[in-house]
Amino acid sequence: MKNTTMLCIVALFLSLNACSQSTKKQKPDLKTTVTNQEKPSWGGTFEAPENVSWRTIIPPKGEPGEKLIISGTVYLPDGKTPAKDVIVYVYHTNNRGIYPKKGNENGHGKYHGYLRGWMKTDANGKYEFETIRPAPYETHDGEPAHIHYTIEHPDYPEYWLTGLWFSDDPRVASYLDKIERDGGLSNITTLTKDDNNILRGSRNVILQKFAN
C-alpha cells in the first residue's frame, strides 16, 4: 500500500513538472502575440515596410487637396552630423480635417487613417514625402493644422515630436506655448510654391532621447 501511494505521489510530481516546463516554453510565443497591442497609439515606425526609401508618396491617386512636399535632414545630437537609417513616420488629416479611412486599415492605420507614410534617411540624413496639405481639426480648441511625426533610430527608441505646423496658419500664434518637442529645430515651416504650383516646406530634426 505504501509503495502504491509513493508511486502515485511521484507520478503526480512528474506530471506537474511537465506542465510547468510546457508553460515556460510557451511564454515567449505568447509575448509575441501581444507585441503590437503594447505599442502606443501614437507610434508607427515599427510598421515601416522592409525596403523603405528616403522618399515616399502618401496620398492615393485622386486624393483631393493642395499637393505638398516636405523635405528635411535628420542630424545626430551634435546638430551637424547627418544621421542615416533613421525611420521617420508621418501621418495627418485630409483637407477636411479628419483622418480618412477606407475600412480595411491594419495596425495603427486604424487610428491614423491612410494618409501616412514611412521614410528611412539616406547617407546624408535626408528624407522627403509628397502628400496633400492637411486641414485643422474641427475640434480641439482650434489646434493648428499639423503633420504628426515620430522618429526611430537604432540608438533612439521611437519617440514623438510636436507636429509640423505651417507659418501662415493664424492658429499657430496662440499655440506657441504648447510646443513640447520641436525636435531640436523649429517645427514651424513656411510654405512656398514652386514652378509647378506645388507647395514646398521643410523640417530638420536633431536626434534626442525621451522617456515616452
Side-chain angles (χ1 to χ4, degrees), residues 33-44:
T33 61
V34 296
T35 297
N36 286 355
Q37 296 175 8
E38 294 175 347
K39 298 291 186 181
S41 61
W42 50 261

Side-chain angles (χ1 to χ4, degrees), residues 77-195:
D78 62 10
K80 299 177 181 178
T81 307
K84 68 175 183 177
D85 296 334
V86 176
I87 299 296
V88 181
Y89 172 60
V90 297
Y91 62 98
H92 60 81
T93 63
N94 62 11
N95 68 344
R96 294 187 292 120
I98 62 173
Y99 295 99
K101 301 178 179 67
K102 298 178 180 179
N104 60 349
E105 285 74 24
N106 296 312
H108 283 192
K110 295 177 181 178
Y111 311 116
H112 306 160
Y114 61 76
L115 292 177
R116 64 182 190 141
W118 301 263
M119 294 139 282
K120 179 183 282 188
T121 57
D122 65 11
N124 297 311
K126 300 291 185 183
Y127 75 91
E128 182 175 280
F129 60 94
E130 179 181 315
T131 189
I132 55 101
R133 179 170 180 164
Y137 299 150
E138 296 179 359
T139 57
H140 288 66
D141 193 31
E143 184 177 350
H146 55 278
I147 297 177
H148 291 281
Y149 268 69
T150 75
I151 303 291
E152 183 177 6
H153 178 273
D155 297 326
Y156 297 82
E158 183 178 20
Y159 63 91
W160 58 267
L161 298 177
T162 297
L164 176 68
W165 298 345
F166 309 107
S167 63
D168 60 352
D169 187 333
R171 303 166 186 81
V172 168
S174 61
Y175 262 75
L176 292 177
D177 61 344
K178 298 183 180 181
I179 298 174
E180 297 181 62
R181 301 179 182 179
D182 57 13
L185 298 165
S186 178
N187 67 302
I188 304 171
T189 186
T190 297
L191 299 178
T192 58
K193 284 193 174 183
D194 64 17
D195 295 338

Side-chain angles (χ1 to χ4, degrees), residues 73-83 183-185 204-207:
T73 303
V74 180
Y75 297 97
L76 293 176
D78 62 10
K80 299 177 181 178
T81 307
L185 298 165
N204 297 329
V205 175
I206 297 175
L207 285 175

